[in-house]
Amino acid sequence: MLDFLNQIFPLAIAASIPIMITAIGGLFSERSGVVNIGLEGLMLVGAFTSSITIHYFDQAGNNNEYVVWIAILLAGIVSGLFAILHAYASVSLKANQVISGTAINMLATALTIFFARFLTRSQNISLLNRADRYQKIPILSDIPLIGNWLFTDIYITSFFVLLLCGIAWFIIFKTTHGLRLRSCGEYPQAADSAGINVVKLRYQAVIISGILSGFGGAIYIVTIAGEFNGSVNGFGFLALGALIFGKWKPLNIVFATFFFGFMSTFASLSFVNEVISSFRIPYQFYNALPYVMTLFALVIFSRNASAPMALGEPYDAGKR
Amino acid sequence: MENKHKSARERFIHYFSDESNRRKLAPYISILFGLLAGLILMLLIGQDPIKGYINILNGSIFKGLFEGNFRRLGGTLAIATVLTFTGLSVAFAFKTGLFNIGVGGQMLFGGFIVVLLGNVLTLPKPVHLLVIVLAAAIGGALWALVPGILKARYRISEVVTTIMMNYVAMWTVSYFVRRWIPGHYETESSMIKESASLKFELLTDLFSGSAINLSIILAGLVVVFIWYILEKTTFGYELKAVGFNPDASKYAGMKVNRNILYSMIISGAIAGLAGASYYAGYTNHVKLGVVPNFGFDGIAVALLGLNSPFGVVLSALLFGVLRTGGEYLNAMTSIPKELVDIIVGLIIYFAAATLLIQFMLTKLIKKMKKNDEKHIEEKVVE
């Protein structure tokens, strides 16, 4: 059993990291009052950007360590730019945010595959450069149990994401800026009368959600996927689920994504791993469970409202 | 009478001074922008856009048409039929104040029931068809029931729940298909029996062996039926009223929760019929591991059809042309078929941004009116 846990923990963490950072991105957007169901699309844009970047480095025979980081950075930038589309529609044009998010998802799928085919003549881009893995982290990996679970065989990008999550928590909950951001999601009219620029803050938040989702997509590619194939496997929607499951709170979101990561790992190992296959539970069950749990979470949380109050409402200064 | 003497300019101002008329223009502008963007994109990758669009039209309608071969047109109509169902499902939900993003999942589950019953039952064709069509509607409705209950009972937004249900449908169907009706390939179910196929010899022959099938007639009936419910019955009026303003409807004595549930069930049932149309009329088996795109296309169809049942038919035809033509484009040129997806995505985006279009038009009209007034004033001064 211990062996099993030692084996599964690194995989589950790797699977949960892209969901985590994307969900934190969604947190920014939704805390500011803009529903972002386009996370899947934003992730996909990041996945594509990073893949094509690495593809060109691969072709040039460059396999330096920094290639992966350049790819992740570019993915963040391009996804951030792409998110402006969503911000423009849902903040400036006061459009239906769900429709805009749907359009973002469709456009992302179409554009990425379109350009993948145009640039590489194939929908699939496989990569040579991948993220670095630490076999064993000195000292920390010697801690009993946890050392094997959390500090062995871990991707360098995972630390990067955990760091970003901490920073995000700090910004949203411990700074004036974060308080302003949250006030835009709760009661934008009041925020406005207190001198806060609601439009600017919402733009910022949506763009940040794009950047973080882009990171998420890129990390998905350089760690677990290893190739671009025109989808991120519903990870963006899982992130949306984690956001809800975590009640729009960073720490809860981190735990929700760990749980989702475990389910995803169980599903992909259900034929291979002896312990998991001995449970005799079909892999589809593990795959569906995060979504089902999100539905249950919604019911349980429905009594005490935890979603930002003005979520999904375009800001109209004339409305009170 | 007076209208006759008015200039085109005056008529333009008069027509678009009315807000509902401004709204009607939005879909056309969305389409125009979408097609324009497609044109730019084709230029960008060094392809001839005119050739591209001609290929889309040829592939979806004209190829062989004048030699009496209606195969292309038939294929387009078959896809348009599926899109009519999904578009109508979304539109009906919109009209009653719900945003059903789960049409894909409902269609998949309804389609799964169809393929299951099409595999295991042995019945004479007319009975078999009746059974699978009913089962499709029930399957779709069942899948929509969960978000419906969550919305009616707990006031949980149907947007998130329907998205989650899409993926639950995908994995549930994957499990049961592989357990009960596995196909030759791992990613497919087995084929339905001939008696469960909606293909109809007369129709197939008429359209030179294309995928067009009986569900096109069903679609026509359902469109008229939904229009009748929405526009001519108290029931439909109540559904719309609850969607428009639940509090006022409650005050007026309507049962809000029950009506929300009905709306969701009906929307789901129509989505289920899309499943019958596609899986028993077009593919004859279920593909695993994907939520059908028709659900999202349905959102585009509904938006462009301004959520009216007959508008949905027209825009479903347009998207049918784009979808079928896209496949042909892909085969004939080096333009990827995703071009069509980009156009569809942009059309949805622009439709979401209709406010911008209306806003620009309102500004234009104001400016024109002001100019006119200036002219009149100048004349008076003279």
Side-chain angles (χ1 to χ4, degrees), chain A residues 27-35 90-91 97 172 175-206 248 307-317 319:
Chain A
L27 180 71
F28 271 94
S29 169
E30 303 224 334
R31 275 288 182 176
S32 82
V34 181
V35 172
S90 43
V91 181
Q97 299 169 4
I172 298 181
T175 64
T176 341
H177 190 79
L179 185 66
R180 288 184 181 148
L181 180 87
R182 281 181 289 141
S183 71
C184 290
E186 299 292 337
Y187 206 146
Q189 284 80 8
D192 193 10
S193 65
I196 296 168
N197 189 340
V198 178
V199 171
K200 191 177 138 200
L201 265 175
R202 284 193 170 178
Y203 258 91
Q204 263 178 16
V206 174
W248 290 269
M309 231 167 60
L311 188 58
E313 273 178 37
Y315 172 58
D316 185 351
K319 213 169 115 189

Side-chain angles (χ1 to χ4, degrees), chain B residues 195-217:
Chain B
S195 60
S197 167
L198 283 164
K199 288 218 173 87
F200 187 61
E201 212 171 300
L202 195 71
L203 212 54
T204 314
D205 288 348
L206 198 65
F207 283 89
S208 329
S210 80
I212 192 169
N213 57 71
L214 283 177
S215 65
I216 195 168
I217 298 167

Side-chain angles (χ1 to χ4, degrees), chain A residues 261-305:
Chain A
F262 267 96
M263 287 307 115
S264 165
T265 310
F266 272 46
S268 49
L269 289 185
S270 67
F271 292 119
V272 195
N273 189 290
E274 286 166 17
V275 180
I276 300 176
S277 56
S278 72
F279 297 158
R280 300 191 157 277
I281 295 171
Y283 72 96
Q284 292 95 340
F285 174 81
Y286 299 117
N287 274 321
L289 197 60
Y291 302 106
V292 177
M293 295 300 284
T294 304
L295 289 175
F296 276 114
L298 278 165
V299 175
I300 295 164
F301 301 155
S302 68
R303 278 187 209 146
N304 42 5

Side-chain angles (χ1 to χ4, degrees), chain B residues 6-251:
Chain B
K6 277 185 178 169
S7 70
R9 182 191 157 90
E10 277 168 330
R11 259 182 285 168
F12 179 82
I13 294 178
H14 180 77
Y15 187 75
F16 289 115
S17 294
D18 186 352
E19 204 206 309
S20 69
N21 285 337
R22 284 204 293 272
R23 226 184 119 225
K24 270 183 213 156
L25 191 72
Y28 300 103
I29 295 184
S30 302
I31 296 170
L32 196 72
F33 278 4
L35 293 179
L36 209 64
L39 186 140
I40 293 169
L41 209 61
M42 279 189 267
L43 282 176
L44 214 67
I45 61 167
Q47 297 285 337
D48 183 357
I50 297 175
K51 223 162 126 192
Y53 281 127
I54 287 176
N55 265 315
I56 289 183
L57 284 177
N58 274 342
S60 56
I61 304 172
F62 294 114
K63 182 151 193 289
L65 191 70
F66 305 113
E67 290 94 61
N69 182 342
F70 296 105
R71 199 184 154 80
R72 294 277 161 191
L73 184 64
T76 301
L77 288 175
I79 293 295
T81 308
V82 184
L83 288 171
T84 303
F85 282 119
T86 57
L88 192 65
S89 170
V90 177
F92 182 84
F94 266 139
K95 278 248 168 186
T96 54
L98 297 168
F99 198 147
N100 187 359
I101 315 193
V103 171
Q106 290 145 22
M107 169 184 170
L108 181 62
F109 194 72
F112 158 66
I113 304 283
V114 164
V115 174
L116 181 66
L117 296 182
N119 262 290
V120 298
L121 294 182
T122 310
L123 293 167
K125 186 151 182 160
V127 187
H128 209 165
L129 288 186
L130 198 67
V131 168
I132 61 153
V133 167
L134 281 176
I138 293 170
L142 269 179
W143 213 251
L145 191 63
V146 178
I149 291 173
L150 293 183
K151 170 91 178 183
R153 175 108 170 63
Y154 301 99
R155 288 287 173 272
I156 299 170
S157 155
E158 71 284 1
V159 171
V160 175
T161 53
T162 47
I163 292 177
M164 299 294 140
M165 288 300 283
N166 275 346
Y167 282 89
V168 181
M170 188 175 101
W171 293 113
T172 310
V173 169
S174 157
Y175 173 69
F176 284 111
V177 163
R178 294 191 68 178
R179 204 184 155 93
W180 291 340
I181 41 171
H184 286 303
Y185 299 101
E186 251 186 41
T187 53
E188 288 177 6
S189 75
S190 56
M191 290 285 188
I192 56 173
K193 286 179 183 155
E194 212 289 309
S195 60
S197 167
L198 283 164
K199 288 218 173 87
F200 187 61
E201 212 171 300
L202 195 71
L203 212 54
T204 314
D205 288 348
L206 198 65
F207 283 89
S208 329
S210 80
I212 192 169
N213 57 71
L214 283 177
S215 65
I216 195 168
I217 298 167
L218 184 68
L221 293 175
V222 173
V223 165
V224 175
F225 179 65
I226 293 297
W227 168 80
Y228 184 80
I229 287 186
L230 280 175
E231 303 301 328
K232 301 284 167 198
T233 65
T234 328
F235 176 62
Y237 183 83
E238 275 198 24
L239 292 185
K240 283 192 291 184
V242 167
F244 192 69
N245 189 339
D247 297 327
S249 311
K250 196 175 179 186
Y251 184 69

